[in-house]
Amino acid sequence: MQDISCPICSADLPLDGDEKDGQTVYCTYCSTPLTVLIQSPDMPITLVEDT
Ligand SMILES: [Zn+2]
């Protein structure tokens, strides 16, 4: 499990750690849909705004 910051509102989002690349998650604070980007298992998860 790792804490990721929402790119929109900077809130800390506790993720389960089993998110998949390309999965859409919703910020619990601003409800923005965010796409999970996992470039490599060794890299931290990145969240980008789902456009
Ligand atoms: Zn947010």
Side-chain angles (χ1 to χ4, degrees), residues 4-11 13 27 30 32-34 46-49:
I4 308 293
S5 294
C6 173
I8 309 303
C9 69
S10 297
L13 303 179
C27 177
C30 66
T32 301
L34 304 167
T46 305
L47 295 177
V48 295
E49 186 175 9

Side-chain angles (χ1 to χ4, degrees), residues 7-22:
I8 309 303
C9 69
S10 297
D12 287 333
L13 303 179
L15 298 180
D16 294 335
D18 60 355
E19 284 76 17
K20 304 240 180 333
D21 187 45

